[in-house]
Each structure stands twice: as C-alpha cells, then as structure tokens.
C-alpha cells in the first residue's frame, strides 16, 4: 500500500472520489437575552470558532455552509436560564411573612401548623409551574430536527440535538431556540456549542 498523502499519491491504491475533510466546532462567548413575547424563536449565536477544517463556518452569521455535497452529522447544545417571575418573588415573600400560630416561626412544618393550615403544603406542592423549550437544526429556513422539553420554572436547563443529514453545497445550517419563558442563553463552551462533521463518502 502507498503511504503518501492523498494529494501526492498517483498509484492504483489511491481511493478515488474522496473529498477534503470537513468538520467544525463553534462556541458561544456572549450571553444572549431571550424574550418570548418578541419572537417565537431566535437564531443562537456562536461567535467563537474552536476549529474549522474547510473554512465552512461563518461566525459572523453563526451559519454552517458546506462547500461539498455529503452526509453530515450535526450536533448543537444550548443552555438556558429562565428569568425569575414576579409571581415567584411574591410567593416567596408571602411564605416568609407567614408565621406559625403555635410557635411563631417562619415557614414552620410542625404538627400543629400542618393540622391547622393544611392548605400551605397543598399549595406548595401544586404550585409547580413550568415552561416548554426547544432547540432545532434549521436548514435553508426549515426546521429539520427539533427537541422539545417541559421544565420547571426558574431552573436552568440544557437541550441538545444531534442529527445526520444529506446536505448540498451551499446549504445554510443554523441553530434555533425557542421557549415560552423569558431568560438568557448561557455563554460557555461546554454549555452552548454547535458542531458538524462530514462522513467519508464518494458523494
């Protein structure tokens, strides 16, 4: 077998129709505010390239544009921290100001308090609110793969999506995020990132 590099080799053992390696990874370096009332979904911005073998990722528009047809594995991860609602603050203050009639302690769970104020525990257990968040791989304006999840209020979450797609040269691949709660898309390489790689193939 020939041990020369692919571009220098002209022997019969050279694999024909192979194309240049394609892979990139980009990370988010600036937090991104999200307001549910303004838009149903936003393009997630990944401003920092960790690597880009074929110069196909554009950090200025956070878009992957393959230069060759092929089969690609695409993965994206977004971490989101919802804003604390006013209702959460008011319920907290109400609980802090509520004193047990028996021992005069704040937020007491003694037998007397439970017996004479059973509605407190019931309300506390039934007041869990939640929100829906989703992340999607978008190609040329169409959402191809979407991951949805229902999460508790005021709880930071991480959503990830992985798919394998047949892309054409010039396709525009982006990551979209949506939620029915206001908050912030977190900026840290391990929390919010976008990457893709092409499988070796004659395409």
């Amino acid at each position: 077998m020939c041990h020369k590099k692919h571009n220098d080799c002209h022997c019969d053992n050279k694999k024909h129709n192979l194309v240049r390696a394609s892979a990139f990874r980009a990370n988010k370096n600036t937090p991104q505010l999200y307001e549910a009332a303004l838009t149903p979904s936003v393009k997630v911005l990944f401003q920092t390239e960790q690597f880009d073998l074929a110069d196909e990722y554009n950090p200025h528009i956070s878009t992957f544009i393959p230069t060759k047809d092929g089969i690609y594995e695409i993965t994206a991860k977004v971490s989101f921290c919802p804003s604390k609602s006013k209702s959460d603050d008011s319920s907290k203050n109400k609980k802090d100001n509520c004193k047990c009639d028996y021992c005069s302690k704040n937020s007491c769970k003694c037998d007397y308090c439970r017996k004479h104020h059973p509605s407190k525990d019931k309300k506390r257990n039934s007041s869990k609110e939640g929100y829906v968040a989703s992340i999607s791989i978008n190609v040329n304006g169409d959402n191809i793969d979407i991951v949805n999840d229902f999460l508790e209020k005021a709880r930071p979450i991480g959503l990830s999506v992985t798919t394998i797609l047949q892309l054409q040269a010039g396709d525009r691949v982006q990551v979209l995020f949506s939620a029915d709660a206001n908050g912030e898309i977190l900026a840290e390489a391990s929390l919010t990132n976008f990457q893709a790689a092409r499988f070796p193939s004659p395409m």
Side-chain angles (χ1 to χ4, degrees):
M1 294 291 290
C2 177
H3 296 289
K4 292 184 178 180
K5 292 184 178 180
H6 176 78
N7 292 334
D8 299 329
C9 176
H10 299 284
C11 70
D12 294 336
N13 291 319
K14 180 178 179 179
K15 301 292 184 180
H16 56 81
N17 292 330
L18 290 180
V19 294
R20 181 181 178 185
S22 170
F24 86 94
R25 176 183 168 107
N27 305 315
K28 188 168 190 58
N29 62 18
T30 303
Q32 183 176 348
L33 292 178
Y34 176 80
E35 296 187 43
L38 297 181
T39 178
S41 63
V42 296
K43 177 175 67 174
V44 183
L45 305 179
F46 303 90
Q47 304 94 336
T48 302
E49 285 182 334
Q50 189 169 338
F51 59 85
D52 186 3
L53 300 185
D55 195 26
E56 297 169 300
Y57 178 75
N58 187 333
H60 302 292
I61 56 175
S62 298
T63 303
F64 171 57
I65 306 175
T67 57
K68 298 287 185 180
D69 299 351
I71 305 299
Y72 292 79
E73 180 178 74
I74 304 168
T75 300
K77 181 177 181 180
V78 170
S79 294
F80 177 72
C81 182
S83 301
K84 200 170 187 180
S85 66
K86 292 182 180 179
S87 60
D88 293 337
D89 290 333
S90 61
S91 62
K92 181 179 179 181
N93 292 334
K94 185 180 293 184
K95 185 179 72 172
D96 290 342
N97 293 330
C98 179
K99 292 187 177 182
C100 173
D101 295 335
Y102 179 69
C103 62
S104 300
K105 290 183 179 180
N106 291 331
S107 306
C108 177
K109 296 182 180 180
C110 68
D111 293 337
Y112 179 92
C113 193
R114 290 180 180 179
K115 180 179 179 180
H116 292 84
H117 302 283
S119 60
K120 291 182 182 178
D121 289 334
K122 185 182 294 184
K123 184 177 181 181
R124 188 179 298 115
N125 294 331
S126 62
S127 63
K128 285 187 177 180
E129 298 180 14
Y131 66 98
V132 176
S134 70
I135 180 177
S136 62
I137 301 296
N138 185 282
V139 180
N140 300 327
D142 296 322
N143 289 331
I144 305 302
D145 277 275
I146 305 175
V147 171
N148 299 290
D149 205 351
F150 181 82
L151 306 129
E152 294 181 12
K153 281 284 188 184
R155 174 176 171 263
I157 54 96
L159 292 174
S160 62
V161 58
T162 298
T163 186
I164 297 176
L165 298 176
Q166 182 175 344
L167 299 178
Q168 306 297 318
D171 283 345
R172 300 171 69 87
V173 184
Q174 301 173 334
V175 179
L176 301 186
F177 173 82
S178 66
D180 56 6
N182 296 333
E184 181 180 271
I185 300 174
L186 303 179
E188 192 172 324
S190 61
L191 299 178
T192 305
N193 48 67
F194 179 27
Q195 52 257 314
R198 184 178 60 232
F199 287 100
S201 71
M203 296 183 64

